[in-house]
Amino acid sequence: MSSDLEFISRRSPVVCTAGCVASSQPLATNIGLDILKKGGNAADAAVAVAAALNLTEPASTGIGGDCFCLFYEAKTKHIYGINGSGRSPSELNIDLLKQQGFDEATPLPLHHAHTVTVPGAAAAWCDTVSLFGSKKVTLEEILKPSIDLAENGFPVSEISSKLWKDGVSVLKAPNNKHGLELLINGHTPKHGQIFRNPFLAETFKELSSFGKKGFYEGRIAAAIVDVLHYNGSVMTLEDLKCHSTEQVEPISTTYKGVKIWELPPSGQGLTTLVALNIVENFDVTAMHHNSTDYIHVLVEALKLSISDTMWHVADPTQVRVPTQELLSKQYSKRRSALMSLQRADDKCVHGNPFSTGNDTVYFTVVDSEGNACSFINSVYKHFGTGLVPAGCGFALHNRGSGFSLSPSHPNCLSPGKRPFHTIIPALVTDANSDQLLCAFGVTGGFMQPQGHVQVLLNMLEFGMNPQRAVDASRIYVEYSKKDTSWKLFLEDGISQDVAEELRARGHNVEWPVVGHQRAIFGRGQIITIGDWWKSSSVPSSEINSKVRWAGSDPRGDGCALGY
């Protein structure tokens, strides 16, 4: 059989010539396509998908959380960024937490009300439509499909049902007065069971009618503050009213003829770019995909980039973040020189760039004009805090758990500050022509930059199509502050011989990771413009920009669809 016909991927990539949507829920993907067919563009459809996912996958995402967005404007080839994350309450500070018994040694419990920063998603949805939308569809039209679905009900998908069940304890917690709003008779919905959320429908109707004020002022804002105060938070109505989305300049690096775009801090997109800069110093193609040498180089590069960003990434409006210094190719070359090709490094030590020597949804949309929206939305850990404002139909996130409580740390908690954020969307363009090549992302907390690197290299270095690139077995590197050591997780599909050889090099290996435990490797979505990944040469103007190729992660419930 010809190698071109060998069945390698779990499913073939979607190919189409007009609009294309890839998300973790088929119902949400379809809603996005419908908005495109009504004349909406990629930004309009992305917000429609975000709303639908709030309904179909509430353990992972929602209007009670934050979101980030990269928008590629085909006409100008310009890339815009939105930081849709919220800030800490104006009355929350380290001294107050110390009085309550919390400090660096005794951090806040993950579900404590103090971990709720102002939810930024609602404002960012409105601003995405206002700034980048087609103006051919209104916010009301964009949200209406999800409102209808919420009122009429939908069958719950398999993985969403499991995530619901995994997070049920926070919904049923005694301090959560309204958590039962997200359950059916006190139970999580089973796979295939119809779930309705009339409260969320009302929330979306208020956002449709009144825009951002419908969320950050009035009934919804009062309900948010009420449930938070009941649980000890110092969030105020003024904190909500003063919230604003921030337009930001995306950051980028080049890798073998392409330019990879991420959002700047307070997000961790920098980790992806620094890791790619380090990997670029090695001939990874010659090492072969998921070989011992390849995984070793990847792991050591990720350790260095994660160590840097765990220290340096913080809210740039409050502290100096050395973004450009960390992106320097010279700096990455110095960092790569620290790597041994035969032995794992177990330290987590950030570099000095000034020296001269679990639970998120990602989705992507490309419209018929070639505009692209790379979008990620999250409530963080399994329903976030799980706290549900009365009559609102959504849970509040716990992104404030991303703060450090060490006064000397750049990411230390202070009033009105954004925490270190894990959620990151990505885009890829031709480094010479600025032509869009790819819109992609991978969910999963600290897995996200690791997923970005692996999926991108699967295409750039090993010629995988978009579906195969997200299918391929992944690795995940995790640092334990408690044990002061790194652990390496290898997904089923990576050979036992490779696992044993990595152990011999000093890696603390967990292998094989199978079944639902594979969730730690995240869930990716990807749409490419043309089949540039088929060639190892630099992408050129000969790419057929009319054809979209898309893939959706088999670790999720979703799919890619086009027309």
Side-chain angles (χ1 to χ4, degrees), residues 19-246:
C20 190
V21 181
S23 87
S24 56
Q25 294 286 321
L27 294 173
T29 297
N30 268 308
I31 283 174
L33 278 182
D34 287 344
I35 294 298
L36 292 179
K37 291 176 181 178
K38 287 182 178 179
N41 69 1
D44 300 321
V47 172
V49 173
L53 288 169
N54 186 163
L55 181 64
T56 59
E57 202 171 319
S60 302
T61 186
I63 200 168
D66 288 340
C67 66
F68 289 78
C69 164
L70 284 168
F71 181 76
Y72 176 87
E73 187 177 59
K75 183 170 60 177
T76 62
K77 296 183 178 180
H78 190 78
I79 295 174
Y80 299 89
I82 278 184
N83 183 328
S85 65
R87 300 162 181 85
S88 57
S90 56
E91 297 179 12
L92 185 63
N93 55 55
I94 289 290
D95 291 337
L96 175 63
L97 293 184
K98 282 184 178 179
Q99 292 171 19
Q100 297 179 359
F102 302 115
D103 55 25
E104 186 178 10
T106 311
L108 282 164
L110 195 58
H111 303 111
H112 196 286
H114 281 324
T115 66
V116 181
T117 51
V118 174
W125 293 1
C126 295
D127 291 329
T128 297
V129 172
S130 173
L131 291 168
F132 313 131
S134 65
K135 310 300 187 289
K136 295 179 181 179
V137 289
T138 64
L139 183 61
E140 183 178 7
E141 291 173 297
I142 289 168
L143 296 180
K144 189 177 187 306
S146 293
I147 292 171
D148 292 343
L149 208 59
E151 291 179 333
N152 297 323
F154 66 94
V156 174
S157 58
E158 183 176 11
I159 292 175
S160 182
S161 174
K162 182 184 185 300
L163 294 173
W164 225 308
K165 185 176 181 180
D166 289 345
V168 71
S169 61
V170 296
L171 296 179
K172 288 186 171 183
N175 62 319
N176 196 356
K177 297 189 291 182
H178 307 288
L180 295 180
E181 288 183 12
L182 297 183
L183 301 174
I184 301 175
N185 297 323
H187 301 283
T188 58
K190 297 177 181 178
H191 180 201
Q193 186 174 7
I194 300 295
F195 181 77
R196 296 176 177 83
N197 192 338
F199 296 115
L200 186 61
E202 291 304 313
T203 293
F204 286 171
K205 286 176 183 178
E206 293 195 39
L207 193 67
S208 298
S209 299
F210 305 109
K212 288 181 279 188
K213 284 188 176 182
F215 186 89
Y216 296 97
E217 301 178 40
R219 178 189 71 87
I220 296 171
I224 290 172
V225 170
D226 177 68
V227 73
L228 289 177
H229 282 189
Y230 182 79
N231 285 276
S233 171
V234 292
M235 181 84 73
T236 66
L237 288 171
E238 191 66 16
D239 290 325
L240 291 167
K241 185 178 180 180
C242 291
H243 173 74
S244 62
T245 304
E246 183 181 4

Side-chain angles (χ1 to χ4, degrees), residues 215-290:
F215 186 89
Y216 296 97
E217 301 178 40
R219 178 189 71 87
I220 296 171
I224 290 172
V225 170
D226 177 68
V227 73
L228 289 177
H229 282 189
Y230 182 79
N231 285 276
S233 171
V234 292
M235 181 84 73
T236 66
L237 288 171
E238 191 66 16
D239 290 325
L240 291 167
K241 185 178 180 180
C242 291
H243 173 74
S244 62
T245 304
E246 183 181 4
Q247 261 198 276
V248 294
E249 284 294 322
I251 57 176
S252 64
T253 194
T254 56
Y255 186 97
K256 297 189 175 180
V258 305
K259 186 175 285 188
I260 303 92
W261 297 86
E262 301 273 356
L263 287 169
S266 55
Q268 64 170 340
L270 193 58
T271 310
T272 303
L273 304 182
V274 173
L276 287 169
N277 282 345
I278 294 172
V279 170
E280 195 175 29
N281 293 290
F282 301 88
D283 185 4
V284 295
T285 307
M287 298 175 183
H288 304 294
H289 184 257
N290 279 354

Side-chain angles (χ1 to χ4, degrees), residues 515-541:
H516 283 297
Q517 296 304 312
R518 295 163 70 236
I520 65 170
F521 301 108
R523 296 172 292 165
Q525 315 294 331
I526 183 166
I527 302 174
T528 71
I529 308 300
D531 55 359
W532 50 268
W533 33 266
K534 286 185 177 180
S535 173
S536 59
S537 62
V538 175
S540 70
S541 58

